[in-house]
Amino acid sequence: MRALCWNGVNDLRVERVPDPRILGPQDAIIKVGLSSVCGSDLHLIGGHVPTMRAGDIIGHEFLGEVVEKGPEVTRLNRGDRVITVSIIGCGKCWHCQQEEFSLCDNSNPQPAFEESAYGHCTAGIFGYSHAFGGYAGSHAEYIRVPFADTNCFRVPEGVTDEQAVFVSDAVPTGYMAADMGNIKPGDVVAVWGCGGVGQMAMKSAFLLGAERVIGIDRFPDRLRAAQMKAGAETLDYSRVDIYDALLAMTGGRGPDVCIDAVGMEADSGGPANRGLAIEDLYDRSKQALRLESDRPAVLRQMIQCCRKGGTLSIVGVYGGLIDKFPMGAAMNKALTLRMGQQHGQRYVKRLFAHIEKGDLDPSYLLTHKWALDDAPQGYRMFKDKADDCMRVVFTP
Amino acid sequence: MTRGRDGGRRIDGSAGTLERWAAILGGTALGFAGARRGSWALAALGGGLFLAGAAGVPLSSPLRQAALPALRREPTTTQANVTIAVPADKLFRHWRNVRHLAALFPHLDAVEILSDMESRWKAHGPGGVPVVWNSRLDKVRENELITWHTLEGADLPHRGTVLFRPAPGGRGTEVSLTLAYHPPGGAGGDAVSRLFGAAPEQQAREALRRLKRIMEVGALPTIDGQPSGRAERGGAEARLREVTG
Ligand SMILES: [Zn+2]
Ligand SMILES: [Zn+2]
């Protein structure tokens, strides 16, 4: 089959590789119909997530058709149209039983790296480096899904492919971000990053009862989509000081819930945001020297801006270590910090119900549909955010 | 189905960025762990690895050569712990049938039952060097504990204890495995490392992880045999190394 392989930093190629096979009794093989790019793929491609190996197939957000299944798969049938949650649960361990699927004890076949770096190993993720299990990804004609009964979900009749594909990753990640904010009626929610996950976090914040939602970005098309599609007010961090603006919008309180949908490659905001240029330089040089793995500009800003006693909800991806974390502010302001990779399996049914009812339509994230053969250019476009690109979806 | 075996080494053996990251993150973790345990040797080693990673020093450098013996000089007694979401009686029954244990230690080739209390174990070290020992159970407390020791003439003399204890809050069973190596020459950890090429601590931990995965999900997760751009091209990595030197 053909697959998009990572061969080194910023070196992607579509190559011929062997077809996937059933390797365990709970595996299924999915014929990929749609496979989307994701912002966190950019961290992999750029070499910011450790343990990528040349030849790895990337991609973790996809929809397809079950074409083969192992003997222990009972809930799926050949021909089923399914989405697969990007983060793999075994369905049996204590964490999976608590619906904390991204903390699964058993789905990562290569636990040594995470154990030494993080103290414990977490779930395997499709196409997401060997620290997260080394599973082959979905930018391919076929993909093998382990523990298929736990991780594949039949798409309801009334939901289109273009709506469903994002229920694999962007929608549940955004929904979980809002869910972790423990939003109460009347709450103001600020979301850093208006990409796919940020958009879904904004939409979800409203579904969970937020009164106002503020989206922060610098790309006009994303800010426009946040307004038009997600119903948010917006701030352009390249033009306004975010702290001043958020306090002005919230009577000096600050947002009740601050969501980080940006992660480790955060931009510090340029001249409009006081002092951040120096901070940005500091982080970028340390990151370049590998003395710091992540740039925490958004985290620092969220801690400054969040109302006293408020909640930070972090779904933007971080890989390792950050410097100059304002712990004093976080502690003295009694902030709650919540974070994690998505526990998608917990949310899929709820999300499909919202889509069927019409109060959520993630299909607008799909701005470009390209052939898999053009995937390297697709990623370039997505990275450069050219042509108002929100998400490129590949069709094998 | 023994992915855990090369979990660590796979990572070690591949691209340069990877090695570097492993050094930065692993080094930091080690440094903190060392500081926490009051072990300055560990802390210093962690710091060294971190700096090596940060500076891009390849880990095959002298620093690593100097570091590894320090790591290998493990205490003779090693312990590993895991919580398994399965009742103690089930785990006890599984362990009591020593034939099942071959699946937990990848170096084991065969476990032969000689009598209710005695068994014969065959393993292989690097290069296929055969390692053989006879083992006798000492104490067997139903659903709680099993202890054993090797008999005279064993290639790898050791004692072992496995303990099963109910975990709080319905989390299943806490399993604790202790292995004490006491070969004639002293320094038990060294002997194990020589025979099996990994720190005994890591072997014990991986054995318990395999037990957990077999008992909870019925199999070890694997990526062996899945497609990648490496298989067809005879190693993209090799080519990448050529390019990057
Ligand atoms: Zn993603
Ligand atoms: Zn699990």
Side-chain angles (χ1 to χ4, degrees), chain A residues 277-348:
Chain A
I278 297 164
E279 186 185 309
D280 192 38
L281 189 67
Y282 172 88
D283 286 325
R284 278 176 195 274
S285 32
K286 289 198 85 167
Q287 195 179 39
L289 290 168
R290 297 280 188 248
L291 285 167
E292 173 178 50
S293 51
D294 306 47
R295 297 198 301 263
V298 163
L299 277 181
R300 293 190 192 115
Q301 197 168 58
M302 292 205 310
I303 289 172
Q304 282 291 313
C305 296
C306 191
R307 83 146 157 83
K308 290 181 282 180
T311 300
L312 307 192
S313 172
I314 303 158
V315 292
V317 171
Y318 292 88
L321 308 167
I322 57 175
D323 276 15
K324 307 288 180 285
F325 186 82
M327 195 58 203
M331 187 275 163
N332 288 290
K333 287 171 72 176
L335 301 181
T336 299
L337 271 67
R338 299 191 67 189
M339 61 196 85
Q341 299 275 6
Q342 56 134 343
H343 309 311
Q345 295 83 344
R346 181 197 290 184
Y347 300 113
V348 171

Side-chain angles (χ1 to χ4, degrees), chain B residues 144-159:
Chain B
E144 271 179 36
L145 154 146
I146 300 172
T147 72
W148 65 94
H149 68 274
T150 50
L151 301 178
E152 205 48 46
D155 287 337
L156 187 67
H158 67 275
R159 324 187 135 265

